Amino acid sequence: LPSGDIREIKRGDKPSHQTTAFINPRTENPNDFLILNMETFEFELMPGLNKKNKNKAQKTLNILQLNTRAKLIEARKNAAISYFNRMERLIKILGSDTITELKSNLNPHEERFNFNQSLEHIKTNIKDSFKHNIQTYQHPSVWYAIKLQYKTYADQDERYKKWEDIFEQLPEALDW
């Protein structure tokens, strides 16, 4: 309802209004409603939401069981680990002084690059590949939360300090 209250309707009945009680990721950014707690890997309501948006966020959490399905929570945690490992390895690759050293830092399952180019050109191609991979990897809410929270908690939590170190070495990743 326009007031922000939720009214249940029976399946097949037409609602009396067009306001939905569910976040529509096609037309709304879920990050405007929810923030991922990086301790528990559960979603919390974004502070400052009005009644309508609080109800919408809570209904989405409840219906999709985003905080009650253990597999989802574990997948978010694994995504955080994967994001960190990728970024840490990318920094190591970008710090390579020779093509031989660079090749030794690549995963055997990664995209193959043209090693007949200059070292800097290869590094640029690899960075672009990692960027694309980060931007299309599952659980983008984890990446969003990392970027949003790392600076705030770096003084309080060693995990965030490690992220701060990553973003100091590769600041453009904050735009990925």
Side-chain angles (χ1 to χ4, degrees), residues 38-88:
M38 295 298 291
E39 295 290 319
T40 63
F41 293 96
E42 293 179 358
F43 286 104
E44 297 174 354
L45 302 184
M46 186 66 80
L49 292 176
N50 62 31
K51 182 179 180 181
K52 176 179 133 185
N53 288 338
K54 275 184 189 177
N55 285 337
K56 184 183 277 198
Q58 192 62 58
K59 202 65 156 168
T60 301
L61 287 174
N62 294 345
I63 290 171
L64 297 179
Q65 300 175 15
L66 295 177
N67 289 338
T68 57
R69 291 189 283 165
K71 285 187 178 195
L72 279 179
I73 294 169
E74 187 66 23
R76 290 182 205 125
K77 181 178 180 181
N78 289 336
I81 292 167
S82 179
Y83 282 127
F84 184 83
N85 289 340
R86 288 171 188 202
M87 295 302 293
E88 191 174 50

Short mmCIF file of all heavy atoms in Angstrom, two decimals, residues 38-88:
data_model
loop_
_atom_site.label_atom_id
_atom_site.label_comp_id
_atom_site.label_asym_id
_atom_site.label_seq_id
_atom_site.Cartn_x
_atom_site.Cartn_y
_atom_site.Cartn_z
N MET A 38 29.41 -8.78 6.92
CA MET A 38 30.56 -9.60 6.55
C MET A 38 31.04 -10.50 7.68
O MET A 38 31.95 -11.30 7.48
CB MET A 38 31.69 -8.70 6.05
CG MET A 38 31.35 -7.96 4.76
SD MET A 38 31.01 -9.07 3.37
CE MET A 38 32.63 -9.72 3.08
N GLU A 39 30.45 -10.40 8.84
CA GLU A 39 30.76 -11.32 9.94
C GLU A 39 29.90 -12.58 9.83
O GLU A 39 30.39 -13.68 9.99
CB GLU A 39 30.49 -10.65 11.30
CG GLU A 39 31.39 -9.48 11.59
CD GLU A 39 32.82 -9.90 11.86
OE1 GLU A 39 33.04 -10.91 12.55
OE2 GLU A 39 33.73 -9.21 11.35
N THR A 40 28.62 -12.37 9.56
CA THR A 40 27.66 -13.48 9.54
C THR A 40 27.30 -13.92 8.12
O THR A 40 26.74 -14.99 7.94
CB THR A 40 26.36 -13.07 10.24
OG1 THR A 40 25.75 -11.99 9.50
CG2 THR A 40 26.61 -12.65 11.68
N PHE A 41 27.61 -13.08 7.14
CA PHE A 41 27.23 -13.27 5.75
C PHE A 41 25.72 -13.35 5.57
O PHE A 41 25.21 -13.98 4.66
CB PHE A 41 27.96 -14.48 5.13
CG PHE A 41 29.43 -14.22 5.01
CD1 PHE A 41 30.31 -14.66 5.99
CD2 PHE A 41 29.93 -13.50 3.95
CE1 PHE A 41 31.66 -14.38 5.90
CE2 PHE A 41 31.28 -13.21 3.86
CZ PHE A 41 32.15 -13.67 4.84
N GLU A 42 25.02 -12.67 6.47
CA GLU A 42 23.57 -12.51 6.37
C GLU A 42 23.27 -11.07 5.99
O GLU A 42 24.03 -10.16 6.32
CB GLU A 42 22.89 -12.84 7.70
CG GLU A 42 23.02 -14.29 8.09
CD GLU A 42 22.37 -14.61 9.42
OE1 GLU A 42 21.84 -13.68 10.08
OE2 GLU A 42 22.42 -15.79 9.82
N PHE A 43 22.15 -10.88 5.31
CA PHE A 43 21.73 -9.54 4.93
C PHE A 43 21.05 -8.84 6.09
O PHE A 43 20.32 -9.46 6.86
CB PHE A 43 20.79 -9.58 3.73
CG PHE A 43 21.48 -9.88 2.43
CD1 PHE A 43 21.38 -11.13 1.86
CD2 PHE A 43 22.24 -8.91 1.79
CE1 PHE A 43 22.02 -11.42 0.67
CE2 PHE A 43 22.89 -9.18 0.61
CZ PHE A 43 22.78 -10.44 0.04
N GLU A 44 21.28 -7.53 6.17
CA GLU A 44 20.60 -6.68 7.13
C GLU A 44 19.92 -5.56 6.36
O GLU A 44 20.33 -5.24 5.24
CB GLU A 44 21.61 -6.10 8.12
CG GLU A 44 22.30 -7.17 8.95
CD GLU A 44 23.40 -6.62 9.84
OE1 GLU A 44 23.72 -5.41 9.75
OE2 GLU A 44 23.94 -7.41 10.64
N LEU A 45 18.91 -4.98 6.97
CA LEU A 45 18.23 -3.86 6.33
C LEU A 45 19.15 -2.66 6.31
O LEU A 45 19.84 -2.38 7.29
CB LEU A 45 16.94 -3.52 7.06
CG LEU A 45 15.90 -4.64 7.20
CD1 LEU A 45 14.65 -4.09 7.87
CD2 LEU A 45 15.57 -5.27 5.87
N MET A 46 19.17 -1.98 5.20
CA MET A 46 19.97 -0.76 5.08
C MET A 46 19.41 0.27 6.06
O MET A 46 18.20 0.48 6.10
CB MET A 46 19.90 -0.25 3.64
CG MET A 46 20.80 0.93 3.38
SD MET A 46 22.54 0.55 3.50
CE MET A 46 22.85 -0.20 1.93
N PRO A 47 20.26 0.89 6.86
CA PRO A 47 19.77 1.92 7.80
C PRO A 47 19.08 3.07 7.05
O PRO A 47 19.46 3.42 5.94
CB PRO A 47 21.04 2.41 8.48
CG PRO A 47 22.05 1.34 8.27
CD PRO A 47 21.70 0.67 6.97
N GLY A 48 18.08 3.63 7.68
CA GLY A 48 17.41 4.81 7.14
C GLY A 48 16.29 4.54 6.16
O GLY A 48 15.77 5.48 5.56
N LEU A 49 15.89 3.28 5.99
CA LEU A 49 14.80 2.99 5.06
C LEU A 49 13.47 3.48 5.63
O LEU A 49 13.24 3.40 6.84
CB LEU A 49 14.69 1.48 4.81
CG LEU A 49 15.82 0.81 4.06
CD1 LEU A 49 15.58 -0.70 4.00
CD2 LEU A 49 15.97 1.37 2.66
N ASN A 50 12.61 3.96 4.75
CA ASN A 50 11.27 4.32 5.20
C ASN A 50 10.46 3.03 5.42
O ASN A 50 10.92 1.94 5.11
CB ASN A 50 10.58 5.28 4.22
CG ASN A 50 10.37 4.66 2.85
OD1 ASN A 50 10.20 3.46 2.69
ND2 ASN A 50 10.39 5.51 1.83
N LYS A 51 9.28 3.16 5.97
CA LYS A 51 8.45 2.00 6.34
C LYS A 51 8.18 1.10 5.13
O LYS A 51 8.31 -0.12 5.22
CB LYS A 51 7.13 2.47 6.95
CG LYS A 51 6.22 1.35 7.39
CD LYS A 51 4.95 1.90 8.01
CE LYS A 51 4.02 0.78 8.45
NZ LYS A 51 2.79 1.33 9.04
N LYS A 52 7.83 1.70 4.02
CA LYS A 52 7.53 0.93 2.80
C LYS A 52 8.74 0.11 2.36
O LYS A 52 8.62 -1.09 2.09
CB LYS A 52 7.10 1.89 1.69
CG LYS A 52 6.85 1.25 0.35
CD LYS A 52 6.40 2.30 -0.65
CE LYS A 52 7.15 2.14 -1.93
NZ LYS A 52 6.86 3.18 -2.90
N ASN A 53 9.91 0.73 2.32
CA ASN A 53 11.10 0.02 1.87
C ASN A 53 11.61 -0.99 2.90
O ASN A 53 12.16 -2.03 2.53
CB ASN A 53 12.19 1.01 1.47
CG ASN A 53 11.85 1.71 0.17
OD1 ASN A 53 11.05 1.22 -0.63
ND2 ASN A 53 12.42 2.88 -0.04
N LYS A 54 11.41 -0.70 4.20
CA LYS A 54 11.75 -1.69 5.23
C LYS A 54 10.89 -2.94 5.05
O LYS A 54 11.39 -4.06 5.10
CB LYS A 54 11.48 -1.12 6.63
CG LYS A 54 12.59 -0.33 7.21
CD LYS A 54 12.23 0.08 8.64
CE LYS A 54 13.25 1.06 9.16
NZ LYS A 54 12.93 1.56 10.49
N ASN A 55 9.60 -2.73 4.86
CA ASN A 55 8.70 -3.87 4.65
C ASN A 55 9.07 -4.65 3.40
O ASN A 55 9.06 -5.88 3.40
CB ASN A 55 7.24 -3.41 4.58
CG ASN A 55 6.69 -3.03 5.93
OD1 ASN A 55 7.16 -3.48 6.96
ND2 ASN A 55 5.67 -2.18 5.93
N LYS A 56 9.40 -3.93 2.34
CA LYS A 56 9.79 -4.58 1.08
C LYS A 56 11.05 -5.42 1.27
O LYS A 56 11.13 -6.56 0.83
CB LYS A 56 10.00 -3.51 0.01
CG LYS A 56 10.31 -4.06 -1.36
CD LYS A 56 10.58 -2.95 -2.36
CE LYS A 56 9.28 -2.41 -2.89
NZ LYS A 56 9.47 -1.64 -4.14
N ALA A 57 12.04 -4.85 1.95
CA ALA A 57 13.30 -5.57 2.18
C ALA A 57 13.06 -6.79 3.07
O ALA A 57 13.57 -7.88 2.79
CB ALA A 57 14.31 -4.62 2.81
N GLN A 58 12.29 -6.60 4.14
CA GLN A 58 12.03 -7.71 5.06
C GLN A 58 11.25 -8.83 4.37
O GLN A 58 11.55 -10.01 4.56
CB GLN A 58 11.28 -7.21 6.30
CG GLN A 58 11.24 -8.22 7.41
CD GLN A 58 12.63 -8.56 7.92
OE1 GLN A 58 13.38 -7.70 8.35
NE2 GLN A 58 13.00 -9.83 7.86
N LYS A 59 10.28 -8.46 3.56
CA LYS A 59 9.48 -9.45 2.84
C LYS A 59 10.37 -10.22 1.86
O LYS A 59 10.25 -11.44 1.74
CB LYS A 59 8.33 -8.74 2.10
CG LYS A 59 7.19 -9.61 1.77
CD LYS A 59 6.52 -10.09 3.03
CE LYS A 59 5.09 -10.46 2.78
NZ LYS A 59 4.52 -11.19 3.90
N THR A 60 11.28 -9.54 1.20
CA THR A 60 12.20 -10.20 0.27
C THR A 60 13.08 -11.19 1.02
O THR A 60 13.27 -12.33 0.58
CB THR A 60 13.05 -9.16 -0.47
OG1 THR A 60 12.17 -8.28 -1.19
CG2 THR A 60 14.00 -9.82 -1.44
N LEU A 61 13.62 -10.75 2.16
CA LEU A 61 14.46 -11.65 2.97
C LEU A 61 13.68 -12.89 3.40
O LEU A 61 14.18 -14.01 3.31
CB LEU A 61 14.97 -10.93 4.22
CG LEU A 61 16.06 -9.89 4.03
CD1 LEU A 61 16.34 -9.17 5.35
CD2 LEU A 61 17.32 -10.52 3.49
N ASN A 62 12.45 -12.68 3.84
CA ASN A 62 11.64 -13.79 4.35
C ASN A 62 11.22 -14.75 3.24
O ASN A 62 11.36 -15.96 3.38
CB ASN A 62 10.40 -13.27 5.07
CG ASN A 62 10.76 -12.52 6.33
OD1 ASN A 62 11.88 -12.59 6.84
ND2 ASN A 62 9.81 -11.75 6.84
N ILE A 63 10.68 -14.22 2.16
CA ILE A 63 10.16 -15.08 1.09
C ILE A 63 11.29 -15.88 0.44
O ILE A 63 11.16 -17.07 0.19
CB ILE A 63 9.40 -14.24 0.04
CG1 ILE A 63 8.08 -13.74 0.65
CG2 ILE A 63 9.12 -15.05 -1.22
CD1 ILE A 63 7.34 -12.74 -0.20
N LEU A 64 12.41 -15.22 0.16
CA LEU A 64 13.53 -15.92 -0.48
C LEU A 64 14.41 -16.67 0.51
O LEU A 64 15.33 -17.37 0.10
CB LEU A 64 14.37 -14.92 -1.28
CG LEU A 64 13.67 -14.23 -2.44
CD1 LEU A 64 14.60 -13.26 -3.14
CD2 LEU A 64 13.11 -15.26 -3.42
N GLN A 65 14.13 -16.50 1.79
CA GLN A 65 14.90 -17.16 2.85
C GLN A 65 16.40 -16.89 2.69
O GLN A 65 17.24 -17.77 2.83
CB GLN A 65 14.62 -18.67 2.85
CG GLN A 65 13.17 -19.01 3.08
CD GLN A 65 12.91 -20.50 2.95
OE1 GLN A 65 13.82 -21.33 2.97
NE2 GLN A 65 11.65 -20.85 2.84
N LEU A 66 16.73 -15.63 2.43
CA LEU A 66 18.12 -15.26 2.15
C LEU A 66 19.04 -15.43 3.35
O LEU A 66 20.24 -15.61 3.18
CB LEU A 66 18.18 -13.82 1.64
CG LEU A 66 17.50 -13.57 0.30
CD1 LEU A 66 17.56 -12.10 -0.05
CD2 LEU A 66 18.13 -14.42 -0.79
N ASN A 67 18.49 -15.37 4.55
CA ASN A 67 19.32 -15.50 5.75
C ASN A 67 19.09 -16.81 6.49
O ASN A 67 19.66 -17.02 7.56
CB ASN A 67 19.07 -14.34 6.71
CG ASN A 67 19.64 -13.05 6.17
OD1 ASN A 67 20.54 -13.04 5.34
ND2 ASN A 67 19.11 -11.94 6.66
N THR A 68 18.25 -17.67 5.95
CA THR A 68 17.95 -18.92 6.66
C THR A 68 18.44 -20.16 5.92
O THR A 68 18.45 -21.24 6.51
CB THR A 68 16.44 -19.05 6.94
OG1 THR A 68 15.73 -18.98 5.71
CG2 THR A 68 15.97 -17.95 7.88
N ARG A 69 18.84 -20.01 4.69
CA ARG A 69 19.37 -21.15 3.94
C ARG A 69 20.89 -21.19 4.11
O ARG A 69 21.61 -20.33 3.62
CB ARG A 69 19.00 -21.05 2.46
CG ARG A 69 17.50 -21.24 2.24
CD ARG A 69 17.16 -21.37 0.79
NE ARG A 69 17.19 -20.05 0.17
CZ ARG A 69 17.22 -19.86 -1.14
NH1 ARG A 69 17.26 -20.88 -1.98
NH2 ARG A 69 17.24 -18.64 -1.63
N ALA A 70 21.35 -22.21 4.82
CA ALA A 70 22.77 -22.34 5.15
C ALA A 70 23.65 -22.36 3.89
O ALA A 70 24.75 -21.82 3.89
CB ALA A 70 23.01 -23.59 5.98
N LYS A 71 23.15 -22.96 2.83
CA LYS A 71 23.95 -23.03 1.59
C LYS A 71 24.21 -21.64 1.01
O LYS A 71 25.27 -21.38 0.47
CB LYS A 71 23.27 -23.92 0.56
CG LYS A 71 23.40 -25.38 0.86
CD LYS A 71 22.87 -26.24 -0.26
CE LYS A 71 23.07 -27.70 0.09
NZ LYS A 71 22.93 -28.57 -1.05
N LEU A 72 23.25 -20.76 1.11
CA LEU A 72 23.43 -19.39 0.61
C LEU A 72 24.46 -18.64 1.45
O LEU A 72 25.31 -17.93 0.91
CB LEU A 72 22.11 -18.62 0.64
CG LEU A 72 21.13 -18.84 -0.49
CD1 LEU A 72 19.89 -18.00 -0.28
CD2 LEU A 72 21.77 -18.51 -1.82
N ILE A 73 24.36 -18.79 2.75
CA ILE A 73 25.31 -18.11 3.64
C ILE A 73 26.72 -18.63 3.39
O ILE A 73 27.67 -17.85 3.29
CB ILE A 73 24.86 -18.27 5.11
CG1 ILE A 73 23.53 -17.52 5.32
CG2 ILE A 73 25.94 -17.79 6.07
CD1 ILE A 73 22.84 -17.81 6.63
N GLU A 74 26.85 -19.94 3.27
CA GLU A 74 28.17 -20.53 2.99
C GLU A 74 28.69 -20.09 1.63
O GLU A 74 29.89 -19.81 1.47
CB GLU A 74 28.08 -22.07 3.06
CG GLU A 74 29.40 -22.76 2.97
CD GLU A 74 30.33 -22.51 4.15
OE1 GLU A 74 29.85 -22.17 5.24
OE2 GLU A 74 31.55 -22.66 3.96
N ALA A 75 27.82 -19.99 0.64
CA ALA A 75 28.24 -19.55 -0.70
C ALA A 75 28.74 -18.10 -0.66
O ALA A 75 29.71 -17.76 -1.35
CB ALA A 75 27.08 -19.69 -1.69
N ARG A 76 28.11 -17.25 0.14
CA ARG A 76 28.57 -15.87 0.26
C ARG A 76 29.95 -15.83 0.91
O ARG A 76 30.82 -15.07 0.48
CB ARG A 76 27.57 -15.05 1.09
CG ARG A 76 26.26 -14.80 0.38
CD ARG A 76 25.34 -13.94 1.24
NE ARG A 76 23.97 -14.20 0.85
CZ ARG A 76 23.00 -14.58 1.67
NH1 ARG A 76 23.22 -14.71 2.96
NH2 ARG A 76 21.80 -14.80 1.21
N LYS A 77 30.14 -16.63 1.93
CA LYS A 77 31.45 -16.69 2.59
C LYS A 77 32.51 -17.18 1.60
O LYS A 77 33.60 -16.61 1.51
CB LYS A 77 31.38 -17.62 3.80
CG LYS A 77 32.68 -17.73 4.55
CD LYS A 77 32.55 -18.63 5.77
CE LYS A 77 33.87 -18.72 6.50
NZ LYS A 77 33.77 -19.62 7.66
N ASN A 78 32.18 -18.21 0.85
CA ASN A 78 33.12 -18.73 -0.16
C ASN A 78 33.41 -17.69 -1.24
O ASN A 78 34.53 -17.62 -1.74
CB ASN A 78 32.61 -20.03 -0.77
CG ASN A 78 32.66 -21.18 0.22
OD1 ASN A 78 33.45 -21.18 1.16
ND2 ASN A 78 31.80 -22.17 0.02
N ALA A 79 32.42 -16.90 -1.59
CA ALA A 79 32.63 -15.85 -2.58
C ALA A 79 33.61 -14.81 -2.04
O ALA A 79 34.50 -14.35 -2.77
CB ALA A 79 31.30 -15.18 -2.95
N ALA A 80 33.49 -14.45 -0.76
CA ALA A 80 34.43 -13.49 -0.16
C ALA A 80 35.85 -14.04 -0.20
O ALA A 80 36.80 -13.31 -0.53
CB ALA A 80 34.01 -13.18 1.28
N ILE A 81 36.00 -15.31 0.10
CA ILE A 81 37.32 -15.94 0.05
C ILE A 81 37.86 -15.92 -1.38
O ILE A 81 39.01 -15.59 -1.61
CB ILE A 81 37.24 -17.39 0.59
CG1 ILE A 81 36.95 -17.36 2.10
CG2 ILE A 81 38.51 -18.16 0.29
CD1 ILE A 81 36.54 -18.71 2.69
N SER A 82 37.00 -16.25 -2.32
CA SER A 82 37.41 -16.28 -3.72
C SER A 82 37.80 -14.89 -4.22
O SER A 82 38.82 -14.73 -4.90
CB SER A 82 36.27 -16.84 -4.58
OG SER A 82 36.64 -16.84 -5.93
N TYR A 83 37.01 -13.88 -3.88
CA TYR A 83 37.34 -12.51 -4.29
C TYR A 83 38.72 -12.12 -3.74
O TYR A 83 39.54 -11.56 -4.46
CB TYR A 83 36.30 -11.52 -3.78
CG TYR A 83 35.01 -11.47 -4.55
CD1 TYR A 83 33.79 -11.61 -3.91
CD2 TYR A 83 35.00 -11.25 -5.93
CE1 TYR A 83 32.60 -11.54 -4.61
CE2 TYR A 83 33.81 -11.18 -6.64
CZ TYR A 83 32.61 -11.33 -5.97
OH TYR A 83 31.44 -11.25 -6.67
N PHE A 84 38.97 -12.43 -2.48
CA PHE A 84 40.25 -12.05 -1.89
C PHE A 84 41.40 -12.80 -2.56
O PHE A 84 42.41 -12.19 -2.93
CB PHE A 84 40.28 -12.31 -0.38
CG PHE A 84 41.56 -11.84 0.24
CD1 PHE A 84 41.72 -10.51 0.58
CD2 PHE A 84 42.61 -12.72 0.45
CE1 PHE A 84 42.92 -10.05 1.12
CE2 PHE A 84 43.81 -12.27 0.99
CZ PHE A 84 43.96 -10.94 1.32
N ASN A 85 41.24 -14.10 -2.74
CA ASN A 85 42.30 -14.89 -3.38
C ASN A 85 42.60 -14.39 -4.79
O ASN A 85 43.77 -14.31 -5.19
CB ASN A 85 41.94 -16.37 -3.40
CG ASN A 85 41.99 -17.00 -2.02
OD1 ASN A 85 42.62 -16.48 -1.10
ND2 ASN A 85 41.30 -18.12 -1.86
N ARG A 86 41.57 -14.05 -5.52
CA ARG A 86 41.77 -13.54 -6.88
C ARG A 86 42.52 -12.22 -6.88
O ARG A 86 43.45 -12.00 -7.66
CB ARG A 86 40.43 -13.37 -7.59
CG ARG A 86 39.79 -14.67 -7.95
CD ARG A 86 38.40 -14.47 -8.44
NE ARG A 86 37.76 -15.77 -8.60
CZ ARG A 86 36.74 -15.98 -9.38
NH1 ARG A 86 36.21 -14.99 -10.06
NH2 ARG A 86 36.21 -17.17 -9.47
N MET A 87 42.10 -11.33 -6.01
CA MET A 87 42.74 -10.02 -5.97
C MET A 87 44.19 -10.13 -5.49
O MET A 87 45.07 -9.46 -6.03
CB MET A 87 41.95 -9.07 -5.07
CG MET A 87 40.56 -8.74 -5.60
SD MET A 87 40.58 -8.00 -7.25
CE MET A 87 41.36 -6.46 -6.88
N GLU A 88 44.42 -10.96 -4.51
CA GLU A 88 45.78 -11.15 -4.00
C GLU A 88 46.69 -11.72 -5.11
O GLU A 88 47.81 -11.27 -5.30
CB GLU A 88 45.73 -12.07 -2.79
CG GLU A 88 47.02 -12.14 -2.01
CD GLU A 88 46.86 -12.94 -0.74
OE1 GLU A 88 46.34 -14.08 -0.80
OE2 GLU A 88 47.26 -12.42 0.31
#
